[in-house]
């Protein structure tokens, strides 16, 4: 039987056009993130499983990690997320680094999930994190970056919504108000996270099952269900509104509004699955009616760096996946038609392959990306090939052109032809490249 040509289930091959799109996505991510003063880092794709045990969350660690033994008998994991790795790196140089640290990375991550719309087993994820800032300026900056990236792709605020919640406030509700134990609070957080995907009665029954009979008798579960239906901070009970965590959330929303980010809403059911978040959490939703789902998210996690035995460090960040971003851009018609990396395709006419080399090399030396058609091939066929490859210019070099040092440049999009010197051709194509970028 012949070998399969399919990539591993839930993972992707990147043919040049896919890679081109990915490079486009990454380059905009990099441009915007660096605009806010962030520096790029990286770490190995393999990590010890213990790194994720403490705080990543049961589902990822026990059901979704790729774990195996290396040849030396060590248990290793293909990283399912970047946050523990970056926290490890920062902890290793806790004393030497200059704070605030503004770091970003675009790692390839692996999670053994059931592949479905928007979720695969491998994805790339932009991670943007700021270390060493206690106050809300960190959240503001991180959400501004998330917003600026979407705008850089041409998105407008009506296309997405930024949902915000406070884990601290939720903690207050669960422990002080509902008097739940640690285990009950943890189970309830998980359940609230899944609420949108459950029928209302099934959710209510699952909440009831978490409460003890005496907790249920005091009407706590009904009160919780009522709370979870509230969509504005002003609807919350007075005592809860007075909580510092709630006040902070309100302030944050007001500041974001002032920084021209109007599409922010409060979502009391937003928990985010990962265990390490300690305070503000946020998630960006696609507003497209066919894809009304979470695109990416993050939050504050002040306890992770400290797990490595160094002084704790306040941290805020987010992870933006390439799969969900692409679906978003596609849905809103924001994906451009990308041209090939090759600027010009040279077609030699007649027996001039050898004499044409000087002109071809000159173009490369002047910074153009130049591919050359095989000598003696049919001109029409080669033009079609250039077109299909997404190359926008063809340059013809024949005996006449070589004698006059004037070459015929055809723009394949407009079919216009002009004759110029190599220097002029280089400048035309360079100008074209900058207007395209
Ligand atoms: P997360 O919510 O698990 O957070 O993932 C962040 C984003 O990565 C998701 O919203 C989605 O865009 C993408 N993503 C995750 N899993 C998949 C998948 N199986 N297929 C496609 N895309 C996926 C984290 O990973 C946190 N470590 C993010 C963070 C950084 N928080 C603070 N700093």
């Amino acid at each position: 039987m012949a070998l399969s040509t399919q990539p591993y289930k839930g993972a992707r091959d990147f043919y040049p056009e896919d890679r081109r799109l990915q490079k486009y996505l990454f380059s905009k991510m990099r441009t915007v993130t660096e605009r806010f003063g962030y520096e790029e880092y990286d770490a190995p794709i393999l990590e010890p499983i213990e790194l994720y045990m403490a705080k990543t969350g049961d589902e990822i660690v026990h059901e979704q990690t790729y774990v195996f033994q290396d040849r030396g008998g060590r248990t290793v994991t293909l990283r399912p997320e970047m946050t523990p790795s970056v926290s490890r790196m920062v902890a290793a140089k806790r004393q030497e680094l200059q704070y605030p640290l503004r770091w970003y990375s675009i790692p390839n991550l692996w999670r053994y999930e059931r592949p479905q719309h928007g979720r695969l087993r491998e994805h790339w994820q932009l991670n943007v994190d700021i270390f060493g800032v206690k106050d809300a300026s960190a959240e503001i900056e991180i959400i501004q970056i998330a917003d600026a990236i979407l705008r850089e792709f041409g998105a407008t605020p009506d296309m997405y919504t930024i949902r915000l919640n406070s884990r601290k406030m939720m903690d207050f509700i669960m422990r002080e108000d509902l008097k739940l134990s640690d285990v009950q609070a943890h189970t309830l957080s998980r359940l609230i996270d899944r609420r949108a995907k459950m029928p209302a009665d099934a959710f209510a029954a699952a909440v009831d099952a978490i409460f003890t009979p005496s907790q249920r008798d005091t009407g706590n579960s009904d009160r919780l269900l009522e709370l979870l239906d509230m969509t504005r901070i002003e609807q919350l009970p007075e005592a809860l509104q007075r909580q510092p965590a709630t006040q902070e959330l309100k302030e944050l929303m007001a500041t974001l509004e002032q920084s021209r980010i109007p599409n922010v809403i409060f979502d009391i059911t937003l928990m985010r699955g990962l265990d390490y978040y300690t305070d503000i959490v946020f998630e960006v939703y696609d507003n497209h009616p066919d894809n009304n789902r979470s695109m990416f998210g993050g939050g504050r996690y002040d306890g992770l760096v400290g797990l490595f035995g160094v002084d704790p460090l306040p941290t805020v960040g987010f992870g933006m996946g390439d799969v969900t971003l692409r679906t978003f851009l596609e849905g809103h018609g924001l994906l451009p038609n990308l041209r090939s990396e090759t600027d010009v395709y040279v077609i030699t006419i007649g027996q001039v392959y050898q004499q044409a080399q000087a002109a071809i090399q000159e173009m490369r030396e002047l910074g153009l990306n130049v591919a050359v058609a095989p000598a003696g091939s049919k001109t029409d066929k080669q033009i079609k090939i250039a077109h299909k490859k997404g190359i926008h210019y063809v340059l013809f070099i024949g005996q006449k052109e070589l004698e006059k040092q004037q070459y015929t440049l055809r723009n394949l999009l407009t079919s216009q032809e002009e004759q110029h010197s190599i220097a002029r051709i280089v400048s035309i194509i360079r100008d074209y490249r900058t207007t395209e970028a």
Side-chain angles (χ1 to χ4, degrees):
M1 208 177 68
L3 287 171
S4 167
T5 57
Q6 293 302 304
Y8 172 73
K9 185 177 173 185
R12 294 162 291 172
D13 288 327
F14 287 86
Y15 284 85
E17 58 274 25
D18 306 314
R19 193 67 171 171
R20 191 169 298 137
L21 178 61
Q22 194 191 47
K23 282 199 312 195
Y24 168 78
L25 301 182
F26 289 2
S27 115
K28 290 234 179 286
M29 288 173 173
R30 285 199 167 90
T31 305
V32 175
T33 311
E34 287 175 5
R35 196 180 289 155
F36 282 76
Y38 284 66
E39 300 170 292
E40 190 164 2
Y41 67 92
D42 206 352
I45 194 164
L46 292 182
E47 290 279 10
I49 183 76
E50 292 78 30
L51 190 65
Y52 308 99
M53 294 290 204
K55 287 277 178 185
T56 287
D58 297 346
E59 194 188 12
I60 290 190
V61 174
H62 297 298
E63 293 165 30
Q64 299 182 344
T65 42
Y66 281 82
V67 194
F68 60 94
Q69 292 228 320
D70 70 8
R71 289 178 192 275
R74 285 167 288 260
T75 305
V76 288
T77 307
L78 276 179
R79 63 185 170 202
E81 58 155 340
M82 197 62 166
T83 311
S85 301
V86 70
S87 303
R88 174 177 62 68
M89 285 170 67
V90 173
K93 298 200 172 187
R94 176 74 177 85
Q95 299 304 328
E96 300 151 55
L97 296 166
Q98 302 306 311
Y99 303 99
L101 275 188
R102 291 182 163 93
W103 281 11
Y104 82 93
S105 179
I106 313 181
N108 188 215
L109 307 177
W110 289 82
R111 295 184 190 179
Y112 196 80
E113 292 193 35
R114 192 169 59 80
Q116 51 184 307
H117 181 70
R119 287 200 95 80
L120 298 176
R121 289 184 172 169
E122 64 80 24
H123 73 283
W124 298 78
Q125 193 191 89
L126 168 69
N127 277 249
V128 183
D129 294 277
I130 180 163
F131 295 83
V133 179
K134 266 205 224 102
D135 65 40
S137 64
E139 277 89 347
I140 291 161
E141 180 168 304
I142 284 293
I143 295 173
Q144 281 172 341
I145 295 172
D147 178 73
I149 292 173
L150 294 181
R151 290 192 193 215
E152 186 79 11
F153 285 108
T156 46
D158 54 304
M159 295 177 187
Y160 57 96
T161 303
I162 302 168
R163 301 190 183 189
L164 281 184
N165 198 13
S166 160
R167 279 252 184 126
K168 258 195 190 147
M169 184 191 82
M170 297 309 285
D171 235 40
F172 174 84
I173 295 173
M174 289 194 267
R175 285 163 211 272
E176 307 294 323
D177 188 6
L178 304 176
K179 308 268 186 267
L180 300 184
S181 68
D182 283 359
V183 175
Q184 283 178 311
H186 190 257
T187 320
L188 182 60
S189 305
R190 300 266 144 179
L191 182 64
I192 295 175
D193 215 27
R194 295 202 308 274
R195 180 176 181 257
K197 295 181 190 135
M198 296 172 75
D201 48 352
F203 178 78
V207 167
D208 258 0
I210 294 173
F211 286 74
T212 61
S214 61
Q215 285 169 335
R216 249 174 270 144
D217 287 345
T218 53
N220 275 357
S221 59
D222 290 340
R223 224 146 36 87
L224 174 71
L225 293 177
E226 269 173 38
L227 266 181
L228 294 179
D229 276 335
M230 296 180 180
T231 54
R232 288 186 308 111
I233 292 179
E234 295 72 25
Q235 286 175 306
L236 298 176
E238 289 265 318
L240 189 54
Q241 284 197 47
R242 277 198 303 272
Q243 278 306 306
T246 319
Q247 291 292 327
E248 281 159 23
L249 190 59
K250 214 171 152 178
E251 282 276 296
L252 176 62
M253 291 178 76
T255 317
L256 288 171
E257 175 123 26
Q258 289 209 347
S259 55
R260 287 190 283 173
I261 307 182
N263 44 338
V264 179
I265 62 166
F266 166 59
D267 180 356
I268 193 169
T269 66
L270 177 71
M271 299 300 291
R272 298 219 9 96
L274 299 151
D275 286 348
Y276 46 69
Y277 293 114
T278 49
D279 197 339
I280 298 290
V281 282
F282 76 97
E283 214 144 89
V284 180
Y285 272 67
D286 187 348
N287 288 350
H288 197 289
D290 299 338
N291 190 47
N292 194 213
R293 55 171 73 209
S294 169
M295 242 198 299
F296 64 91
R300 180 175 279 279
Y301 55 104
D302 288 348
L304 215 44
V305 171
L307 285 184
F308 295 88
V310 296
D311 286 344
L313 195 59
T315 310
V316 183
F318 71 84
M320 172 192 271
D322 65 332
V323 184
T324 41
L325 175 65
R326 188 184 163 156
T327 310
F328 170 78
L329 297 175
E330 250 161 14
H332 294 277
L334 295 173
L335 276 187
N337 236 336
L338 296 170
R339 65 173 185 89
S340 162
E341 291 82 354
T342 307
D343 296 308
V344 58
Y345 196 56
V346 171
I347 301 178
T348 51
I349 317 276
Q351 309 293 313
V352 298
Y353 188 77
Q354 201 177 24
Q355 297 97 296
Q357 294 307 312
I360 293 169
Q361 275 306 93
E362 190 182 344
M363 286 193 285
R364 289 193 183 124
E365 277 162 20
L366 291 171
L368 292 195
N369 299 340
V370 186
V372 184
S377 49
K378 284 213 177 78
T379 305
D380 281 357
K381 191 172 156 207
Q382 290 303 324
I383 295 172
K384 275 196 194 125
I385 288 174
H387 197 67
K388 282 201 179 141
K389 282 181 185 287
I391 304 173
H392 287 182
Y393 282 103
V394 165
L395 186 73
F396 300 102
I397 306 185
Q399 196 61 49
K400 230 174 39 211
E401 281 85 357
L402 284 166
E403 277 161 21
K404 287 202 278 181
Q405 303 266 302
Q406 293 282 312
Y407 305 87
T408 308
L409 182 69
R410 182 187 293 184
N411 180 325
L412 291 182
L413 298 185
T414 61
S415 296
Q416 263 186 350
E417 278 191 6
E418 301 168 71
Q419 291 185 336
H420 296 294
S421 66
I422 289 294
R424 179 86 189 104
I425 284 166
V426 170
S427 95
I428 289 174
I429 297 179
R430 276 191 164 171
D431 285 354
Y432 178 74
R433 223 165 40 179
T434 42
T435 52
E436 276 275 286

